[in-house]
């Protein structure tokens, strides 16, 4: 468990001119308003931040808890809120996206052009029969077209399911199948780090695996121009589909609860779950948190480095900043190409003022800068920066300090934002003009978010004592259900013993003096590798599906300096336990197998072979023990029940 070293350093809240939330007392006032009238607080903000076609008359409907509804009788359109209303208010010429390609080429698109492109694609989707409520899978890399595809779905009321471009054909197939998608939007290839990687070929492979009969059209954005396979009955070029379509498209006015998107994420058991979000409540929190957490203003240049395949890219690229009419950078490539100074150069070139990235990226860039002065942030002009953000995993105080000093010049506050795919937007985070900062702590709940720490029975634990992170009251951008599995939704997030509170799945502790939250890590079998969520069970299933080789497998996480956690797999082979070169060869084979089954992000860093796995008398794998073995710790647990204690020595050896 991460220690709560919160007392080491308290940095006063930044003195920001005309900050949206300008002081600690302003923050306290908002918290008090929400406490006094939760429904009224959120309803007021929903009226202020969103343009409604039909105003809602009721905020929260908890009559079918935990299936909460917000602003249900109101109607709106998400893409209207992100695009049209800015053009209507005279911001048509304002740059919406500054797209930088992998090779450095820059394309700017203003709000008017982004709206037109969205309308053309929306019309093209309709022309191919996509209707309100249909699911559309988007399997693309970072591009203007990716954002346009999501906005176009929102415009016609189709529910998108974006699948990260690093997932395998099998994972893509499972997601298409689960949502019974009618269309896939993809690109011929993706270009990252100077390399061309397939996308369309993987879509073809996914569909060929079977179970994707619902898909009648595959739209292909031409990114690289590479030769690709073509099925004339199904495949269409995106540019051809769009070229003759009108540049206007009446938005589909949907109810606030209409599902805007489904996004698959890992849980501790079973297959990835399709987290379903609504339209109104989600967009409210996307816009509100973009404004308050980042103090986003009209003149800012905002850059969130996440991929649209993850929730961070949904909320803080496609929806939040655009709902506010902001200017933002969208980046196709990777932080280390052509060298590890890429982020700093882009901040300099585009005069980025708000920069939002993941601790893993920072840690790897620290390493690079320490070994090569030419990519050190001090070699770049980063004076445009005023606010920094962190997301996806705990940021260790050393990385925080480096980020603060070398990227933020000691003057930019860092907002360490804790949230999840399921929460839709920030839950616990500093507000830069209001919250004194503590390195390594995500500080305090966003106003209106009833975050708390409880024990196994749902009772509050005192500050200074760790426990289970919950949210006691519903909030507008919360997950609505798991696509097609309401029972799993209830049992995963609202277990009976927790008094109806939302269970985040993380452990946390509040500092005894400040009340600040520090996230101590997942309390379930979910790993966080480079800020990507992976279920240990998913990786285990992938390993044992290699039936030619594997008899049994157990996967645990172990701390890693760069990626936060690393995947460590313990494997029992069908044949004899291998050693030396043979073990290394099989380990490589198994890594590639997992990459093929799930995607390269799920490849175990470490694979260890044993004659068997340590189990309790009742046959349960002793995971805690394996975690110690993975870390290289001396085993202190009771191993008297182990049938074969010698196996621990075998499993301690890396390959
Ligand atoms: C972890 C990403 C510590 C946490 C937005 C959570 C964090 C999971 C932080 C969600 C943070 C995210 N500090 N841990 N600031 N942000 N996490 O769904 O374990 O990909 O439950 O959403 O990431 O990951 P997800």
């Amino acid at each position: 468990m991460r220690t709560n070293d919160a007392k080491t350093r308290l940095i006063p809240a930044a003195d920001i001119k005309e900050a949206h939330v300008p002081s600690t007392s302003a923050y306290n006032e908002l918290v008090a308003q929400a406490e006094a009238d939760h429904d009224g607080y959120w309803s007021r903000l929903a009226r202020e931040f969103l343009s409604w076609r039909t105003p809602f008359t009721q905020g929260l409907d908890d009559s079918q808890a935990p299936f909460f509804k917000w602003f249900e009788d109101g109607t709106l359109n998400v893409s209207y809120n992100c695009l049209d209303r800015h053009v209507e208010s005279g911001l048509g010429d304002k740059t919406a996206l500054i797209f930088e390609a992998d090779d450095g080429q820059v394309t700017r698109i203003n709000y008017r052009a982004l709206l037109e492109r969205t309308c053309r694609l929306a019309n093209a989707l309709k022309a191919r029969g996509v209707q309100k409520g249909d699911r559309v899978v988007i399997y693309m890399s970072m591009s203007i077209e990716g954002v346009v595809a999501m906005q176009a779905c929102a415009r016609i009321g189709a529910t998108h399911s974006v699948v990260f471009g690093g997932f395998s054909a099998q994972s893509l197939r499972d997601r298409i199948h689960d949502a019974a998608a009618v269309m896939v939007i993809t690109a011929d290839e993706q270009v990252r780090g100077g390399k061309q990687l397939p996308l369309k070929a993987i879509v073809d492979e996914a569909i060929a695996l079977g179970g994707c009969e619902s898909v009648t059209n595959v739209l292909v954005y031409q990114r690289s121009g590479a030769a690709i396979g073509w099925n004339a009955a199904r495949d269409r070029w995106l540019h051809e589909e769009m070229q003759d379509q009108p540049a206007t498209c009446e938005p589909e006015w949907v109810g606030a609860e209409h599902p805007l998107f489904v996004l698959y994420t890992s849980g501790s058991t079973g297959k990835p779950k399709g987290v379903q979000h609504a339209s109104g409540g989600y967009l409210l929190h996307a816009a509100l948190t973009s404004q308050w957490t980042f103090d986003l203003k009209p003149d800012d240049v905002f850059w969130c480095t996440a991929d649209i395949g993850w929730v961070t890219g949904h909320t803080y690229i496609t929806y939040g900043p655009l709902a506010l009419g902001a200017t933002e950078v969208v980046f196709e490539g990777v932080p280390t190409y052509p060298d590890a100074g890429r982020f700093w150069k882009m901040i300099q070139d585009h005069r980025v003022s708000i920069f939002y990235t993941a601790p893993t990226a920072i840690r790897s860039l620290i390493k690079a800068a320490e070994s090569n002065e030419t990519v050190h942030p001090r070699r770049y002009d980063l004076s445009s920066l005023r606010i920094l953000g962190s997301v996806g995993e705990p940021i260790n105080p050393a990385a925080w300090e480096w980020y603060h000093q070398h990227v933020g010049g000691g003057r930019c506050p860092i907002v360490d934002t804790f949230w999840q795919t399921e929460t839709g937007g920030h839950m616990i985070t500093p507000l830069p003009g209001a919250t004194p900062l503590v390195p390594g702590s995500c500080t305090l709940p966003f106003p209106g978010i009833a975050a708390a720490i409880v024990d196994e029975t749902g009772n509050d634990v005192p500050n200074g004592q760790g426990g289970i992170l919950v949210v006691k009251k519903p909030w507008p951008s919360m997950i609505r259900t798991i696509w097609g599995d309401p029972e799993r939704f209830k049992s995963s997030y609202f277990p009976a013993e927790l008094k109806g509170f939302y269970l985040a799945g993380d452990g946390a502790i509040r500092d005894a003096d400040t009340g600040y939250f520090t996230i101590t890590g997942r309390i379930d079998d979910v790993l966080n590798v480079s800020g990507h969520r992976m279920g240990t069970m998913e990786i285990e299933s992938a390993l044992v599906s290699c039936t030619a080789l594997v008899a049994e497998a157990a996967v645990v996480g172990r701390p890693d300096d760069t990626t936060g956690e690393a995947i460590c797999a313990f494997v029992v082979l069908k044949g004899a336990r291998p050693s030396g070169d043979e073990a290394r060869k099989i380990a490589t084979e198994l890594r590639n197998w997992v990459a093929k089954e799930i995607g390269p992000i799920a490849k175990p860093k470490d694979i260890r072979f044993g004659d068997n796995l340590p189990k309790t008398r009742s046959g349960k794998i002793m995971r805690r023990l394996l975690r110690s073995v993975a870390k290289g710790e001396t085993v202190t647990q009771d191993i008297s029940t182990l049938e074969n204690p010698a196996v621990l020595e075998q499993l301690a050896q890396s390959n």
Side-chain angles (χ1 to χ4, degrees):
M1 227 182 222
R2 199 168 288 268
T3 53
N4 190 10
D5 47 7
K7 279 181 221 90
T8 48
R9 195 153 116 82
L10 189 75
I11 300 154
D15 184 11
I16 301 172
K17 209 169 131 241
E18 292 171 0
H20 286 289
V21 182
S23 61
T24 306
S25 56
Y27 167 83
N28 290 336
E29 169 60 21
L30 290 165
V31 171
Q33 279 174 21
E35 262 168 25
D37 180 7
H38 193 66
D39 196 90
Y41 168 84
W42 285 114
S43 297
R44 170 175 73 78
L45 293 168
R47 289 189 193 99
E48 267 175 40
F49 275 80
L50 302 182
S51 304
W52 296 86
R53 179 71 170 184
T54 327
F56 57 88
T57 59
Q58 191 191 352
L60 172 66
D61 172 1
D62 59 4
S63 59
Q64 288 158 58
F67 298 93
F68 298 102
K69 294 181 185 136
W70 285 90
F71 323 121
E72 198 194 1
D73 63 353
T75 66
L76 81 171
N77 179 276
V78 167
S79 97
Y80 175 86
N81 274 272
C82 294
L83 303 170
D84 307 56
R85 63 170 173 166
H86 307 312
V87 176
E88 287 167 12
S89 68
L91 291 177
D93 293 329
K94 182 174 180 182
T95 300
L97 308 180
I98 303 170
F99 175 70
E100 183 162 319
D102 190 60
D103 67 2
Q105 202 179 320
V106 176
T107 312
R108 286 162 189 273
I109 182 164
N110 65 27
Y111 272 93
R112 182 177 308 103
L114 190 60
L115 170 61
E116 283 180 12
R117 228 191 276 191
T118 298
C119 288
R120 281 187 212 281
L121 181 55
N123 287 324
L125 299 185
K126 286 204 279 192
R128 288 291 170 194
V130 181
Q131 293 178 0
K132 177 181 171 190
D134 284 346
R135 273 80 53 213
V136 172
V137 163
I138 298 174
Y139 186 62
M140 294 177 92
S141 56
M142 294 298 290
S143 52
I144 293 175
E145 283 67 21
V147 175
V148 167
M150 294 166 80
Q151 290 285 347
C153 288
R155 191 158 195 93
I156 66 170
T159 300
H160 60 67
S161 165
V162 184
V163 178
F164 174 60
F167 277 118
S168 68
Q170 183 66 47
S171 298
L172 177 60
R173 179 252 166 228
D174 291 347
R175 286 157 176 74
I176 294 172
H177 173 78
D178 190 70
V182 300
M183 180 184 270
V184 179
I185 307 179
T186 188
D188 49 0
E189 289 188 320
Q190 54 183 323
V191 185
R192 283 163 68 81
K195 288 194 231 97
Q196 288 175 221
L197 304 161
L199 280 174
K200 170 65 163 59
I202 296 173
V203 173
D204 292 345
E205 215 184 299
I207 293 178
L209 286 168
C212 302
E213 290 70 27
S214 52
V215 175
T216 48
N217 288 280
V218 174
L219 258 49
V220 187
Y221 162 56
Q222 194 164 37
R223 167 62 185 90
S224 71
I228 49 171
W230 203 258
N231 173 342
R234 190 193 69 196
D235 300 342
R236 334 262 166 218
W237 286 112
L238 186 92
H239 59 274
E240 288 178 4
E241 295 288 297
M242 283 169 67
Q243 70 195 8
D244 296 327
Q245 292 295 343
T248 58
C249 171
E250 174 67 13
E252 181 78 37
W253 305 106
V254 300
E257 283 297 310
H258 183 70
L260 176 64
F261 67 86
V262 171
L263 182 60
Y264 287 80
T265 190
S266 297
S268 45
T269 56
K271 287 200 172 277
K273 36 196 184 187
V275 172
Q276 181 180 319
H277 277 286
S279 298
Y282 169 79
L283 190 66
L284 165 61
H285 206 54
L288 175 68
T289 51
S290 293
Q291 187 178 86
W292 289 4
T293 306
F294 299 115
D295 190 44
L296 187 50
K297 302 214 179 83
D299 293 337
D300 277 307
V301 176
F302 180 79
W303 183 17
C304 164
T305 68
D307 192 287
I308 52 167
W310 309 113
V311 75
T312 306
H314 282 57
T315 306
Y316 299 106
I317 295 176
T318 302
Y319 293 116
L322 294 181
L324 297 177
T327 296
E328 60 175 330
V329 173
V330 174
F331 177 41
E332 180 181 46
V334 298
T336 48
Y337 178 83
D339 61 38
R342 184 71 182 262
F343 276 2
W344 322 135
K345 180 161 190 313
M346 284 180 61
I347 292 170
Q348 171 179 289
D349 290 353
H350 302 300
R351 304 294 296 159
V352 170
S353 55
I354 306 171
F355 179 66
Y356 190 35
T357 195
T360 291
I362 297 163
R363 286 191 294 262
S364 71
L365 296 177
I366 294 175
K367 275 195 187 162
E370 281 173 353
S371 62
N372 176 2
E373 173 63 24
T374 63
V375 297
H376 198 286
R378 67 176 149 242
R379 302 291 290 258
Y380 298 81
D381 175 7
L382 306 183
S383 59
S384 56
L385 286 172
R386 63 182 197 94
I387 286 162
L388 302 175
S390 172
V391 58
E393 46 179 325
I395 179 163
N396 48 307
W400 196 104
E401 294 285 2
W402 189 92
Y403 192 29
H404 189 248
Q405 184 186 342
H406 294 292
V407 183
R411 68 178 191 282
C412 304
I414 299 177
V415 288
D416 174 1
T417 60
F418 168 83
W419 60 296
Q420 309 175 295
T421 305
E422 293 87 343
T423 70
H426 302 153
M427 299 301 278
I428 307 179
T429 178
L431 305 183
T435 319
L437 304 174
V438 168
S441 166
C442 52
T443 74
L444 295 171
F446 192 88
I449 300 298
I453 302 178
V454 299
D455 62 19
E456 287 80 17
T457 55
N459 291 315
D460 286 325
V461 300
N463 288 357
Q465 195 177 310
I468 301 169
L469 181 63
V470 296
V471 186
K472 291 188 168 180
K473 292 181 189 167
W475 68 101
S477 67
M478 68 195 300
I479 173 176
R480 293 305 193 262
T481 188
I482 292 175
W483 181 262
D485 202 346
E487 282 309 312
R488 190 173 174 204
F489 165 75
K490 275 202 269 187
S491 60
S492 305
Y493 301 112
F494 296 92
E497 61 280 13
L498 283 186
K499 301 184 172 170
F501 302 156
Y502 167 83
L503 172 68
D506 283 287
I509 183 166
R510 295 187 77 157
D511 183 80
D513 301 329
T514 57
Y516 276 16
F517 287 73
T518 293
I519 306 297
T520 50
R522 298 286 306 193
I523 51 172
D524 52 13
D525 288 322
V526 171
L527 307 183
N528 192 324
V529 182
S530 303
H532 300 153
R533 263 167 81 168
M534 301 293 326
T536 49
M537 282 251 307
E538 262 175 88
I539 308 169
E540 287 166 8
S541 316
L543 284 166
V544 296
S545 75
C546 183
T547 49
L549 289 173
V550 178
E552 205 178 4
V555 168
V556 300
R558 71 165 161 75
D560 183 279
D561 281 350
T562 305
T563 58
E565 259 184 309
I567 301 169
C568 184
F570 297 91
V571 175
V572 181
L573 293 180
K574 287 193 168 158
R577 188 172 75 89
S579 60
D581 283 348
E582 201 204 347
R584 279 188 286 279
K585 188 176 139 268
I586 298 179
T588 306
E589 240 174 273
L590 291 178
R591 276 191 198 102
N592 293 339
W593 176 273
V594 173
K596 192 175 78 51
E597 287 294 300
I598 304 175
I601 50 171
K603 273 187 185 185
K605 179 159 185 184
D606 205 349
I607 296 191
R608 297 156 182 219
F609 299 105
D611 290 327
N612 46 48
L613 296 176
K615 290 189 186 151
T616 61
R617 278 218 185 92
S618 60
K620 260 189 93 183
I621 293 174
M622 297 170 78
R623 286 172 184 282
R624 213 158 58 83
L625 183 73
L626 286 177
R627 277 193 278 270
S628 303
V629 174
K631 274 196 230 169
E633 286 174 356
T634 350
V635 169
T636 53
Q637 289 99 326
D638 176 16
I639 53 165
S640 57
T641 57
L642 269 185
E643 255 174 62
N644 176 10
V647 74
L648 292 183
E649 218 160 285
Q650 299 174 356
L651 294 174
Q653 291 164 27
S654 296
N655 292 290

